[in-house]
Amino acid sequence: MLTHDQTDSNAAIVIGAGLGGLAAAMRLGAKGYAVTVLDRLDLPGGRGSSITQDGHRFDLGPTIITVPQVYENLWRACGRDFHKDISLRPMDPFYEVRWPDGSTFTARQDTDAMLAEVARLSPADVAGYKRFLKDSEACYKVGFEGMVAKPMNKIWETIKVLPEFARLRADRSILGLAKARVKDARLRMALSFHPLFIGGDPRKVTSIYALVAYLEKTYGVHYAMGGVQAIANAMVKVIKVQGGTVRQNVEVDELLIDNGAAKGVRLTDGSVIHAPLVVSNADAGHTYQRLLRNHPRKRWTDKKLKSRRWSMGLFVWYFGTKGTAQMWPDVGHHTITNAPRYEGLLRDIFIKGKLSDDMSLYIHRPGVTDPSVAPKGDDTFYVLSPVPHLGFDNPVDWATESAIYKAKVMAEVEKTIPGFADRISTEMILTPEDFRDRYLSPNGSGFSIEPRILQSAWFRPHNISEEAKGLFLVGAGTHPGAGVPGVISSAEVLAKLVPDAPVQMPLKVAAE
């Protein structure tokens, strides 16, 4: 690998080997820093890591790749070619949405195919859907091109985009925009559900998130062979080639601050690592409430963090099935099933904190694309249900409710995959309590702070911390927000805020 002599001024620590932390380490390595990544899990990737059980690889979190250029740009900044390290397979169709009345909506990249789907469901809404596509392109230009990879730690950067936000009616929710464009309730759901996959309530999240439709149409939806874990593993290889270090099974207990400046970290075993540059990929809430617990905070006090609205929790059931690879030919890689209620279910999850009997589910069947996820002839699935986080006054007691809720999920999945339960050979479950304990996520939230308009851009925890000089944040809880493109882009923002390493040492070639 490539190595260079390390000086104290060149040392950098990244807390957390999630995708944002790994991307940050790559960016810092490209700037000449000697980077040490510290992570408490046994594999890199954070919420994008995996667990292999009885021959089944369960990809724990994100399952699709959108906006491939964010990865290409990251690799290019490190002098490498992303596509030499990762094999992407385009999805066609992207996913299928199903409703209780038996109707379906198949999402594809081709515009004519999408117009045909809209016409099949609701001919009167074709013109409105075309208007929605124009909206999504305008939102992309303002919200993605104009903001995602740009620092937003100065309020002026947010103020500058307000006229465009006003023109696009960003005060209106994504569901509100869908209602303004189409009349069919099924189409309104199909055009507005995407923010759920970054933790947002479609009834409250800004209509700027219509940009997702443009991203899908323009860049497609892909699957990384080997899962997102393969991307995390490839990122670790780049970091090591740069001379960096990635340490698993170690946990940071506290940030060390001296005279208002970061000086390193203390691990839970009591050992100390010094560095004048610290990047936290831990949840922003955990960073400020736990890692800075012994230091005064100017902005992100416990009171302010508690007042934030947090993203929903997730109930995720992972299971393998025996001898089913050729069964259920109508069930593709990505399927979304809907409850009879849409807005009522969202209110239960985000406002009431109520665990409902009905549910909408995301069913992931990666073996359709990548047979390596299961033993030959078998299948690997995960089923995800949005549920309330743990921050409500009477949170769900998952020790009691997990088995009960699983039975309800099973009955719902049976409608899509009949007979699957008799074929289960191995299984595991993650609840919001597991997200709290495994990922140190406040309230067991799946995606950190909810991406409402007044919790975005400057209003979100900044990439450069005002709490300590030399402290930076990346990942879902900071700008630009959750979702894999967002956390990867947070490292690009970081690279614009951090200067090149003070001492540029000549690289030396060593055995890889």
Side-chain angles (χ1 to χ4, degrees):
M1 64 179 178
L2 298 176
T3 64
H4 55 66
D5 296 330
Q6 180 176 343
T7 66
D8 287 343
S9 60
N10 275 31
I13 293 169
V14 175
I15 303 170
L19 298 178
L22 295 174
M26 290 170 67
R27 291 279 184 179
L28 293 176
K31 284 178 161 290
Y33 287 91
V35 185
T36 300
V37 183
L38 305 167
D39 191 82
R40 67 196 299 269
L41 301 180
D42 60 341
L43 288 175
R47 299 179 198 205
S49 61
S50 66
I51 289 177
T52 298
Q53 181 172 292
D54 299 322
H56 295 264
R57 188 187 73 241
F58 297 124
D59 298 311
L60 299 181
T63 62
I64 62 172
I65 299 301
T66 56
V67 206
Q69 68 264 34
V70 301
Y71 310 90
E72 295 164 351
N73 292 341
L74 173 61
W75 257 252
R76 191 178 300 115
C78 301
R80 299 177 69 91
D81 182 351
F82 172 71
H83 295 285
K84 287 185 178 180
D85 291 342
I86 298 295
S87 173
L88 292 185
R89 299 289 173 86
M91 298 282 95
D92 186 26
F94 296 162
Y95 48 83
E96 182 182 64
V97 185
R98 299 184 178 189
W99 287 275
D101 65 1
S103 58
T104 64
F105 182 85
T106 301
R108 297 179 182 274
Q109 187 170 8
D110 181 74
T111 301
D112 289 338
M114 290 290 281
L115 288 170
E117 282 293 287
V118 173
R120 183 176 58 78
L121 275 183
S122 179
D125 280 324
V126 170
Y129 175 68
K130 289 180 178 178
R131 288 186 66 192
F132 183 85
L133 289 181
K134 291 182 179 178
D135 295 328
S136 70
E137 182 176 4
C139 290
Y140 167 80
K141 290 178 179 178
V142 173
F144 195 91
E145 288 185 347
M147 296 182 68
V148 163
K150 295 183 178 179
M152 286 286 158
N153 55 293
K154 296 180 180 178
I155 195 168
W156 172 242
E157 297 300 327
T158 296
I159 292 173
K160 283 193 300 186
V161 302
L162 291 181
E164 285 297 302
F165 269 46
R167 181 178 66 83
L168 294 173
R169 286 294 313 277
D171 60 307
R172 180 168 52 187
S173 72
I174 181 63
L175 179 56
L177 174 62
K179 286 182 174 181
R181 296 295 180 252
V182 298
K183 302 302 181 186
D184 190 281
R186 296 165 299 178
L187 286 178
R188 289 174 171 178
M189 176 271 161
L191 298 182
S192 67
F193 76 88
H194 300 86
L196 280 167
F197 290 96
I198 55 170
D201 179 351
R203 300 173 312 113
K204 300 296 182 181
V205 168
T206 171
S207 58
I208 290 293
Y209 280 98
L211 64 85
V212 173
Y214 184 81
L215 288 176
E216 290 184 345
K217 187 172 73 71
T218 304
Y219 303 110
V221 172
H222 301 80
Y223 174 84
M225 298 301 285
V228 173
Q229 181 71 71
I231 296 180
N233 293 343
M235 296 170 89
V236 169
K237 289 182 180 179
V238 174
I239 293 165
K240 290 181 177 179
V241 165
Q242 292 173 325
T245 301
V246 179
R247 294 178 58 187
Q248 304 289 157
N249 299 302
V250 293
E251 182 177 344
V252 173
D253 181 58
E254 185 179 4
L255 277 157
L256 301 179
I257 308 296
D258 185 22
N259 290 324
K263 295 299 180 184
V265 298
R266 178 179 291 107
L267 306 183
T268 53
D269 65 6
S271 60
V272 170
I273 303 175
H274 294 287
L277 174 61
V278 178
V279 179
S280 180
N281 182 218
D283 189 283
H286 179 79
T287 299
Y288 288 128
Q289 286 182 308
R290 174 66 188 177
L291 302 185
L292 280 175
R293 64 189 182 277
N294 291 322
H295 302 278
R297 283 167 273 146
K298 305 170 187 174
R299 186 183 186 202
W300 292 104
T301 61
D302 288 352
K303 182 179 179 180
K304 179 157 186 172
L305 286 166
K306 188 174 182 179
S307 72
R308 300 301 87 185
R309 286 197 171 271
W310 292 79
S311 63
M312 78 286 188
L314 300 172
F315 177 93
V316 197
W317 180 22
Y318 308 84
F319 56 87
T321 53
K322 193 72 176 172
T324 63
Q326 302 304 315
M327 295 178 66
W328 313 301
D330 64 320
V331 180
H333 194 128
H334 306 288
T335 305
I336 296 165
T337 67
N338 278 281
R341 302 181 303 147
Y342 180 42
E343 294 188 60
L345 184 59
L346 293 173
R347 281 192 292 271
D348 286 351
I349 294 168
F350 286 94
I351 304 301
K352 297 180 180 179
K354 174 186 175 183
L355 189 61
S356 305
D357 289 331
D358 60 338
M359 62 195 69
S360 291
L361 303 175
Y362 164 54
I363 302 173
H364 183 227
R365 190 187 189 185
V368 172
T369 306
D370 183 1
S372 73
V373 299
K376 187 174 181 179
D378 297 349
D379 255 325
T380 293
F381 291 89
Y382 91 44
V383 178
L384 178 151
S385 178
V387 295
H389 62 61
L390 302 174
F392 291 93
D393 289 338
N394 295 297
V396 177
D397 178 7
W398 285 102
T400 301
E401 294 291 339
S402 183
I404 299 170
Y405 195 71
K406 174 192 160 185
K408 295 176 182 178
V409 171
M410 182 183 293
E412 193 63 33
V413 175
E414 177 71 23
K415 300 173 185 177
T416 301
I417 315 176
F420 84 99
D422 295 333
R423 300 271 187 163
I424 293 177
S425 57
T426 190
E427 61 183 314
M428 57 174 279
I429 287 173
L430 293 183
T431 73
E433 292 180 354
D434 296 304
F435 275 75
R436 177 196 63 199
D437 300 338
R438 177 179 173 85
Y439 304 121
L440 305 179
S441 178
N443 301 315
S445 296
F447 305 91
S448 193
I449 295 172
E450 188 183 356
R452 295 190 175 199
I453 193 167
L454 293 180
Q455 295 188 161
S456 301
W458 181 83
F459 299 100
R460 208 164 180 80
H462 298 157
N463 304 93
I464 181 170
S465 176
E466 53 275 273
E467 306 298 352
K469 183 180 179 181
L471 174 61
F472 298 82
L473 277 70
V474 293
T478 186
H479 174 69
V484 181
V487 300
I488 298 292
S489 295
S490 71
E492 185 175 351
V493 176
L494 171 78
K496 295 173 181 177
L497 295 170
V498 175
D500 290 345
V503 181
Q504 293 293 313
M505 302 301 292
L507 293 172
K508 302 174 184 179
V509 179
E512 188 169 338

